[in-house]
Amino acid sequence: MKAFGYLAPRSVEEAVDLLGREGAVPLAGGTDLLVAIKRGTLPPRWMVDVTGIGLDRLDEANRAVVIGAASTHAQVLASDTVRAGLPALAEALAGIGSPQVRNLATIGGNICYAVPSADSAPPLLAVGAEVCIIGVGGTRCLPLEDFFVGPRRTVLAPGEMVTEIRVPLPGPHTGTAFLKAGRRKAMSLAVVNVAVSIRRASDSMTVDGARIALGAVAPTPFRALAAEQLLQGQVFSVDLAEAAAVEAARATAPITDLRATAPYRHALSRVLVKRAIVKAWERSAGPGGYRDA
Ligand SMILES: Cc1cc2nc3c(=O)[nH]c(=O)nc-3n(C[C@H](O)[C@H](O)[C@H](O)COP(=O)(O)OP(=O)(O)OC[C@H]3O[C@@H](n4cnc5c(N)ncnc54)[C@H](O)[C@@H]3O)c2cc1C
């Protein structure tokens, strides 16, 4: 392991300044970064600790939850608003690693490391989350679906960091669900993970908007747009969910690796998408859907 320097800024501005050094990378919980450094796949010269600069706040504004990038999974899970209004996100975070990992690892680190199996990505994509970025050039916010570029690659330029993730709270008559299959029930990266958000029309039988996101089955987490389109405006049925799931699986481009074969991931995508659609639909009728107080 090559030697590196550790820098502990006291503010976002100072962090941005320090990230301007050559070979500097943000350090949050370190649960991905330190593994990468030990493996020699990421040899930074400087690690800029972003955990002590006020990026671990959760605020609710304009029907969205604004999650600071350095919020740990445990901190996000402790939010009543997240558990009540964003059950798919809560389900995803609750299944990451172990309590020890969730106490250290951050939501910003999860999306910035950008592995295709990142568990927070599908539920964030399914509700239309935005990522806000700061660098020497200023700040910008963009949809999460434009953030991922490839395996472990994002749009972040050297010296930039994510400050917050803006997560819209689904409106009334909307249900969300997250499902993950791994090789074990805990401490296991996803073989496939899926999140769905679906809204009922006023007749309560017709789909009025759906978003379907998958992870671990393509170079980046992605939305299955054709499958979403297939649901739109249709009277809901389990057969309709099955047809959308077939379409979503068609959009995958899985690989074979030590966790699963590509054909297995393809088949599992169909099964999980169907189940997640049905679960989200059921929730859209009841307390699982977010309601105004
Ligand atoms: C035992 C174990 C089990 C795990 N289980 C799971 C699991 O079930 N599901 C899952 O999805 N992941 C899992 N992980 C992976 C990891 O815990 C998560 O991805 C975690 O959320 C990473 O967050 P972190 O704060 O530790 O990131 P770090 O390791 O600190 O950083 C990760 C990457 O993001 C960059 N980064 C961090 N913060 C920012 C920022 N604000 N702006 C820009 N770049 C930033 C870093 O430079 C680095 O490249 C597991 C890891 C371990 C060790």
Side-chain angles (χ1 to χ4, degrees):
M1 188 165 69
K2 281 192 180 160
F4 53 81
Y6 169 83
L7 301 167
R10 301 240 171 106
S11 66
V12 172
E13 294 70 29
E14 198 186 337
V16 170
D17 188 42
L18 294 173
L19 284 169
R21 293 190 184 192
E22 202 183 324
V25 297
L27 165 71
T31 60
D32 278 323
L33 188 55
L34 292 178
V35 176
I37 289 172
K38 278 188 185 162
R39 284 188 183 146
T41 51
L42 213 167
R45 285 177 61 186
W46 299 100
M47 290 209 288
V48 180
D49 192 335
V50 297
T51 60
I53 56 175
L55 294 182
D56 58 351
R57 289 184 42 176
L58 267 80
D59 294 307
E60 199 179 333
N62 301 325
R63 295 191 55 79
V65 184
V66 181
I67 306 176
S71 306
T72 64
H73 302 311
Q75 282 173 317
V76 181
L77 278 168
S79 157
D80 291 340
T81 308
V82 169
R83 288 198 313 279
L86 297 162
L89 180 62
E91 283 161 350
L93 300 188
I96 290 185
S98 59
Q100 293 89 336
V101 171
R102 292 192 291 275
N103 282 336
L104 199 57
T106 64
I107 191 161
N110 195 238
I111 61 163
C112 291
Y113 201 51
V115 290
S117 62
D119 281 327
S120 69
L124 292 172
L125 288 170
V127 295
E130 275 193 350
V131 181
C132 294
I133 296 170
I134 192 166
V136 279
T139 58
R140 61 193 165 114
C141 296
L142 69 156
L144 180 63
E145 53 202 271
D146 297 336
F147 180 73
F148 301 115
V149 174
R152 297 191 186 161
R153 286 178 44 230
T154 69
V155 297
L156 285 173
E160 285 189 323
M161 62 181 275
V162 171
T163 51
E164 63 192 32
I165 301 145
R166 295 185 183 165
V167 194
L169 285 161
H173 315 298
T174 304
T176 67
F178 171 82
L179 293 174
K180 167 182 177 176
R183 287 176 61 95
R184 296 181 300 270
K185 287 194 172 165
M187 290 290 280
S188 186
L189 297 183
V191 167
V192 181
N193 52 17
V194 168
V196 171
S197 166
I198 196 162
R199 181 180 140 85
R200 280 176 195 246
S202 52
D203 67 4
S204 124
M205 295 183 305
T206 306
V207 178
D208 181 23
R211 292 171 73 108
I212 302 169
L214 294 96
V217 286
T220 67
F222 71 100
R223 274 176 67 198
L225 298 175
E228 294 174 0
Q229 209 50 48
L230 197 144
L231 292 170
Q232 176 58 27
Q234 302 298 313
V235 171
F236 187 83
S237 67
V238 173
D239 286 346
L240 181 68
E242 168 73 18
V246 169
E247 197 61 46
R250 198 172 288 148
T252 64
I255 57 164
T256 295
D257 64 11
L258 78 172
R259 287 200 288 283
T261 64
Y264 181 70
R265 280 193 159 102
H266 180 269
L268 195 55
S269 299
R270 183 181 60 73
V271 173
L272 291 189
V273 169
K274 179 181 175 183
R275 288 182 189 166
I277 292 172
V278 171
K279 192 170 178 183
W281 180 256
E282 285 168 355
R283 285 179 169 175
S284 71
Y290 182 75
R291 295 277 183 279
D292 284 318

